[in-house]
Every structure is written in structure tokens, then in C-alpha cells.
Amino acid sequence: MALVVTKFGGTSVGSTECIRAVADRLIARKQAGNDVVAVVSAMAHVTDELTELAHEMCAEPPEREMDMLLSTGEQVSIALLAMAIAARGLDAVSFTGSQVGIVTDAVHSKAKIAEVHGDCVRAALGEGRIVIVAGFQGITGDGQITTLGRGGSDITAVAIASDIGADVCEIYSDVEGIYTADPRVVPDARKIAELSYEEMLELAASGAGVLQMRSVEFARNHGVVIHSRSSFSDAEGTIVKEADVSMEQAIISGVTLDTSEAKLTIRGVPDRPGIAAKVFGELAKENVNVDMIIQNVSDQGIANISFTTPQDDLIRARHVLDRLATELSAREVLVDESIAKVSLVGAGMRTHPGIAARMFEALARSDVNLEMISTSPIRISCVTSGARAKEAVRALHDEFGLGKEAITIEKMPSGEGASGSGASREGVSAEGAPGEGVPGRGVPGGDGGA
Ligand code: ADP
Ligand code: ASP
Ligand code: MG
């Protein structure tokens, strides 16, 4: 008998028919003798529609009210799923984030989980019930409803799996697992059987939206094994776990595309110590996440600072830069919302020189201009114009032969590939800082390895 946490995303519960199919899947697991928990997202498009409604009401909706609104999406789908199971004659119970004790900090719209008190989950499982939990939502210590960022049901599932000691956390979506590129962009992308947390973290951080980055980080910190698989087939998906010697280590795991960021530039700031600290310090105070950074210095004692930030943080970032532009007598603030980030991820970059050169040559042959570049030990990211980005992804996928069999590292040196993972497992009861373990990514106001 296994204890399984499953998670079904929006498309998997997108209609009453889909919800019935999920109910059948859960019932089959239960009748096979397993204890089953299902974490569910809002029905497809509901979160987007609620967001649009909010913006019809108010240009900048108060964040507390936004979370109040968005959390209702998941409440609909958990109740419908529990009803679908009841209609089949089995016992299920649904819980909101606050009912299952997902306690978060007070940062509305991207709250971090501080603790999970899953007692009611354990009790309901003990009574033989199928437990259904609303993804994406939590509650602060003083009772305010929060949400966990887009795609946040993934982290709800991983956090519950960790709290109740589940054998595996199965994340179901409309693809069969993690592919070498988004199969919607690259039709010959290949499904990957196993990935280390480290590789998955880089893929997720650089745009592979199939798993939310913070959920992978939480899984790594707490040793939760993730199985990414399809709601629409029984095929084995991709296992994400700690790297070990038996794991096939591809030189390049995949290519990703991220169109969710914007580039901001503050032109003509004084070139003197403390200016970057001031700019990124003010951004951090407003909880603006910063990814890549570039500073160009002219010989006239002035500099231009450019950085990328999630579109969701753009309004706040713009306010901060406009204020600083006046304070620092800067020339102007520029915003480019049409950028894309294309990244190549692979643990083999550590030991195989020349990957960056090959990447840049392939992009040059496709006439793709690079605006910014950043790297981690196992990732190279380039910012380019959004219009050329899909072509860039396909060019890189071809260049590195990713549609064919994986080119693997012959023998994994002991300990190699496991670095950066597992080290902080013990005693971790909460989510780490955003971007922790992923250089140059998501640190509020932090510097990004440009
Ligand atoms: P859900 O709504 O179930 O959470 P998501 O839409 O968040 O599902 O994630 C599934 C989608 O992720 C797929 O439809 C696919 O287009 C996209 N995707 C992006 N990168 C990848 C990748 N490397 N492998 C598989 N899917 C990917
Ligand atoms: N419903 C939320 C979203 O659309 C959370 C999730 O789907 O994971 O982002
Ligand atoms: Mg998702």
C-alpha cells in the first residue's frame, strides 16, 4: 500500500467530463489499496478570467482582495471533484488551503509556505476517505487568505506530500512528462525518463512551465520525489529526484523559452559606488524579482542599468525606476515587454567545454540577436526579441540533437550532479528564499549573474 499525493492542473479539471475522469483515476488508485490525496487547480482559464474581472474593476487591484478572489477558483474545483467521487459511491472530503493548515507569509500573490499542519489530511485518510485539497492557496498566521504565485498548486502538492510523508508526488498535466523542449514549440521534443532536482530546477527557473520552479525547490529541500505525468494516458512520465550514480546524465537536458519577463533600463545614472545598491535595494523593498542584470558604463561618468523582471512585477518596478530617475537625475526609463529568454540546460556543461560557443553560433546562423546573456554552472540563458524566440529554441534543439537519443556523460563522477541539492534537507520546514539555489534567478532586487 502506498501513500500518494496527486495534483491535477487546470486542463485536467477543465470540464465536468474531465473532473469525472480524475474522479475515476482517484477511485482506481484507492481501490488498489492506496491512500490518496488529490491537490487540484482551478478549472482551465478560471484564474485568468478572474484576473481580467479584477482589472475591469480596478487598474491596480489591492493584493489582499486579489487573493480573496483568485482563491475561489480552486474552491469550485475541489467541491466538484468531491461531488464526482460521491456520485460514484465513494467517500471524499475537500479542504481549502486554510483548512489543511498551509500557513504562509503575508506577501499576497506570491506567498511563501512557512508551515503545513496536515492533521486533518491524516485524520481523513485514517477514516478511509479520498482527500481533496485546494491548490495555490494558504493563510497567514493572522487569518488572511494568500495565494502562492501562478502555477502554485504544484507547491501545494509537494508541501502536503512532504508533510504527510507520501511515497511520491504525482503531478498530472496535459503532457506525458518533462520533454527536451516544450512540445508545443518543438514537435520532435523527446520525453526525459529521469531528471535530477538540480537540472529540473534550472529548466523550471528558465521557463519550462510544466513544473512550478518553487515546487521543485521545495521538493529538493525536503526530498520529495516528483513524477510528472499525463492526465490523459497511463504512460510513465518523468521522475524528478536526487541525482544518483544510476541516473542517466545527459550532457544537455533541454532548451527552454520564457516570455514572461520584461526588460527595464534606467539610462544615464551616475557611475559611482552605491548606485546599483540603491536601485536594486529599492526594487527589493517593493518585492520586485530581478533576473538578469547588465550595466553599461560610458566614459562620461554615467551608466545605463538594464534588468529583466517578471511581467507581474512590471508596474511596481516601473514605479520604483520612475521615482529613482527623478532622484538620480537619470535620462530616462525604458521598458521592453516583448523580450524572450532562451536557455540551454545540462549538467554536462560542467565537464564539456565549448557549449556556449556552439549555442551562440547556432543562434547567429538563425540570425538571432542577443541582448543579454547569463549563466549558471549548468545553464546558459540569452535574452532576445520575442519575435525570433521560437525559432531560436528550435535551432538549439536541432543543434544539440535533442530530439534523438540523449547524448549522455559516459560515467558520472561520484558526487557530480548532486551538488547544490540535498545539502539543506535537514531541518527545513519552510520554503527557501525565492531563487535560492538558482543563480541569477528570482532574488528580490538581487543581482543576476549577468
Ligand atoms: P497544468 O495546468 O496542468 O498545471 P501547465 O500548463 O502548467 O499544466 O504545464 C503543462 C504545459 O507545460 C504543457 O502543455 C507544455 O506546453 C508546457 N511545457 C513547457 N515546457 C515543457 C517541457 N520542457 N516539457 C513538457 N511540457 C512543457
Ligand atoms: N490556478 C492557479 C493558476 O492558474 C494555480 C495553478 O493552476 O497551479 O496559476
Ligand atoms: Mg502548472
Side-chain angles (χ1 to χ4, degrees):
M1 183 173 115
L3 174 53
V4 189
V5 172
T6 59
K7 177 259 163 176
F8 295 89
T11 38
S12 309
V13 293
S15 63
T16 48
E17 204 177 309
C18 290
I19 293 177
R20 283 197 197 96
V22 170
D24 288 341
R25 198 180 270 274
L26 296 175
I27 289 168
R29 293 300 283 272
K30 176 74 186 155
Q31 288 177 337
N34 303 293
D35 279 335
V36 183
V37 178
V39 173
V40 202
S41 294
M43 292 170 78
H45 313 303
V46 164
T47 309
D48 291 336
E49 285 160 12
L50 290 172
T51 306
E52 275 168 31
L53 267 183
H55 285 108
E56 266 177 44
M57 218 38 88
C58 178
E60 286 180 53
E63 291 186 322
R64 179 189 180 279
E65 304 312 328
M66 197 67 187
D67 280 356
M68 186 67 88
L69 180 71
L70 294 190
S71 63
T72 61
E74 271 67 15
Q75 212 166 319
V76 170
S77 46
I78 54 169
L80 290 177
L81 180 56
M83 289 174 195
I85 294 172
R88 302 279 205 255
L90 268 89
D91 197 9
V93 58
S94 69
F95 294 117
T96 62
S98 73
Q99 285 175 315
V100 287
I102 299 198
V103 181
T104 71
D105 64 18
V107 183
H108 285 290
S109 84
K110 51 185 168 193
K112 285 209 292 284
I113 297 176
E115 288 164 48
V116 180
H117 305 288
D119 299 339
C120 67
V121 175
R122 278 183 282 270
L125 287 173
E127 291 160 7
R129 310 172 91 179
I130 295 174
V131 177
I132 301 164
V133 178
F136 177 57
Q137 54 181 260
I139 191 152
T140 63
D142 64 356
Q144 303 300 316
I145 291 175
T146 51
T147 61
L148 310 177
R150 296 307 302 264
S153 299
D154 292 352
I155 196 167
T156 306
V158 172
I160 300 251
S162 167
D163 183 64
I164 65 174
D167 298 290
V168 63
C169 180
E170 297 182 336
I171 299 198
Y172 289 82
S173 70
D174 58 356
V175 279
E176 279 188 8
I178 320 296
Y179 284 67
T180 47
D182 186 340
R184 288 177 207 264
V185 177
V186 182
D188 71 335
R190 188 178 44 82
K191 185 167 73 181
I192 304 166
E194 286 185 334
L195 278 169
S196 67
Y197 291 126
E198 186 193 28
E199 289 163 307
M200 189 62 232
L201 204 48
E202 291 282 11
L203 288 169
S206 58
V210 57
L211 291 181
Q212 185 217 26
M213 179 188 81
R214 282 169 49 195
S215 72
V216 183
E217 210 164 26
F218 199 107
R220 180 196 67 181
N221 290 344
H222 297 262
V224 175
V225 174
I226 295 178
H227 185 178
S228 161
R229 57 190 310 188
S230 167
S231 286
F232 307 110
S233 86
D234 288 326
E236 282 292 303
T238 303
I239 300 289
V240 182
K241 60 176 191 177
E242 190 77 68
D244 64 40
V245 277
S246 69
M247 196 182 259
E248 190 180 80
Q249 284 281 293
I251 295 172
I252 302 296
S253 308
V255 189
T256 58
L257 171 62
D258 186 353
T259 51
S260 69
E261 294 189 350
K263 184 170 96 171
L264 288 107
T265 303
I266 180 162
R267 292 191 62 220
V269 291
D271 176 27
R272 60 166 193 261
I275 294 295
K278 169 106 185 142
V279 170
F280 293 103
E282 294 296 318
L283 289 164
K285 274 191 216 151
E286 292 300 321
N287 263 305
V288 173
N289 283 287
V290 172
D291 185 9
M292 292 190 191
I293 301 174
I294 281 190
Q295 176 167 329
N296 299 321
V297 179
S298 82
D299 52 7
Q300 280 130 27
I302 55 165
N304 301 333
I305 299 177
S306 297
F307 63 92
T308 63
T309 186
Q311 302 261 5
D312 289 347
D313 293 357
L314 184 56
I315 293 177
R316 271 174 292 126
R318 173 101 218 208
H319 284 330
V320 172
L321 288 199
D322 284 342
R323 181 162 44 78
L324 284 173
T326 314
E327 207 177 298
L328 300 171
S329 307
R331 265 191 213 141
E332 60 181 339
V333 173
L334 300 173
V335 177
D336 184 351
E337 291 186 59
S338 65
I339 58 153
K341 185 172 68 175
V342 177
S343 308
L344 194 64
V345 173
M349 281 183 201
R350 283 207 182 88
T351 44
H352 289 71
I355 304 264
R358 233 175 116 185
M359 177 181 185
F360 301 150
E361 278 160 20
L363 292 174
R365 274 197 305 277
S366 298
D367 210 18
V368 173
N369 192 38
L370 309 183
E371 297 177 25
M372 293 168 124
I373 299 169
S374 82
T375 63
S376 85
I378 67 161
R379 174 186 49 80
I380 305 162
S381 299
C382 302
V383 167
T384 178
S385 89
R388 309 281 299 143
K390 286 187 180 168
E391 212 171 314
V393 169
R394 288 190 278 265
L396 293 176
H397 199 267
D398 275 357
E399 170 67 26
F400 290 92
L402 300 180
K404 307 188 188 94
E405 276 301 286
I407 302 162
T408 57
I409 298 170
E410 306 73 35
K411 191 171 180 300
M412 198 170 82
S414 58
E416 188 77 44
S419 70
S421 54
S424 54
R425 264 223 230 155
E426 256 173 68
V428 180
S429 63
E431 261 187 88
E436 209 174 64
V438 185
R441 170 70 200 191
V443 183
D447 63 347

